[in-house]
Amino acid sequence: MSGNHCCDHECEGHQSINNTEDLGVLYSLYTRIDSDRIECLNEAVEGSGRLVFKPWDQRLNFEQFVESDCDEELLFKIPFTGNVKLKGLIVIGGEDESHPSRIRLYKNRPNMNFDDVNVEADQEFETMRDMNGTLEYIIKIVKFSSVHHLTIHIPKNFGNETTKVYYIGLRGEFTATQREAVLIANYELAPNPAECKTDIKDTVPQQIH
């Protein structure tokens, strides 16, 4: 286990969260993820990687998790529906040695695979066991101010053959892209088909016999 300790004080790259009341609002970026297009490489069960991006109040649902397959590594490929300014990350892993011990972040590299993770990460840090989601890793806003795709690489854990993750929470600010803003505007301006039918029916001239 890492020699770094993070208790009730802030330490380099980490901070312990004492007030968790507002975290449900702060950690709501999962709603801005294009969840159908999430990929998780080396997951033991297909599709399980996307299950860890969930609401804050479901973070302790240990029935939903992803576990790596043939070794410790996991690679999450996370597309957003707009641009995100990332500020914080929370990870809940296995209570034993299967908990991730290091995390590496890459921005706007949607086609990465395990052959590409030898390049320098935009940010990486040692992680600590956290079974309650009370330890936040501070993301460098300068480097992650305009992110449309995030890749999270977990290269190792605390000594288990496989890595297990129950929850990944992302905190930050979301901005709709120009295309999405236009789609939203068009949707709001478009007439309701039900209303159209009502209007048409009401305007049909009645025949008098």
Side-chain angles (χ1 to χ4, degrees), residues 137-198:
Y137 300 94
I138 306 302
I139 295 179
K140 298 175 182 177
I141 300 177
V142 174
K143 288 191 175 183
F144 293 88
S145 60
S146 184
V147 182
H148 59 78
H149 187 284
L150 178 69
T151 303
I152 300 177
H153 177 221
I154 297 176
K156 61 179 183 176
N157 56 38
F158 286 99
N160 208 54
E161 292 183 0
T162 59
T163 297
K164 189 177 290 186
V165 176
Y166 292 99
Y167 173 79
I168 295 179
L170 299 171
R171 176 172 66 87
E173 299 175 8
F174 175 82
T175 303
T177 61
Q178 185 175 1
R179 179 178 179 274
E180 185 180 66
V182 169
L183 289 175
I184 293 173
N186 288 340
Y187 175 80
E188 292 176 346
L189 291 173
N192 186 320
E195 294 175 355
C196 291
K197 291 179 181 178
T198 302

Side-chain angles (χ1 to χ4, degrees), residues 44-92:
V45 177
E46 184 177 355
S48 59
R50 68 186 60 176
L51 300 179
V52 303
F53 300 93
K54 51 192 175 185
W56 170 255
D57 59 4
Q58 295 181 24
R59 71 192 184 284
L60 301 182
N61 177 3
F62 296 142
E63 293 181 1
Q64 292 185 335
F65 63 90
V66 60
E67 185 172 6
S68 62
D69 189 8
C70 57
D71 56 25
E72 300 173 68
E73 290 188 87
L74 285 169
L75 188 71
F76 297 90
K77 303 167 71 172
I78 310 157
F80 295 101
T81 57
N83 288 321
V84 171
K85 180 187 293 184
L86 284 175
K87 298 181 178 181
L89 172 75
I90 290 176
V91 177
I92 297 177

Side-chain angles (χ1 to χ4, degrees), residues 96-165:
D96 54 13
E97 284 75 16
S98 65
H99 194 292
S101 62
R102 175 175 286 273
I103 287 181
R104 312 176 75 224
L105 304 179
Y106 299 87
K107 70 172 184 179
N108 302 338
R109 292 172 176 260
N111 299 317
M112 286 190 70
N113 55 46
F114 287 116
D115 293 330
D116 303 314
V117 295
N118 58 344
V119 301
E120 183 180 358
D122 292 297
Q123 185 174 353
E124 64 179 296
F125 32 73
E126 299 286 342
T127 57
M128 303 181 69
R129 289 186 179 92
D130 180 15
M131 294 306 299
N132 298 308
T134 57
L135 185 61
E136 180 182 58
Y137 300 94
I138 306 302
I139 295 179
K140 298 175 182 177
I141 300 177
V142 174
K143 288 191 175 183
F144 293 88
S145 60
S146 184
V147 182
H148 59 78
H149 187 284
L150 178 69
T151 303
I152 300 177
H153 177 221
I154 297 176
K156 61 179 183 176
N157 56 38
F158 286 99
N160 208 54
E161 292 183 0
T162 59
T163 297
K164 189 177 290 186
V165 176

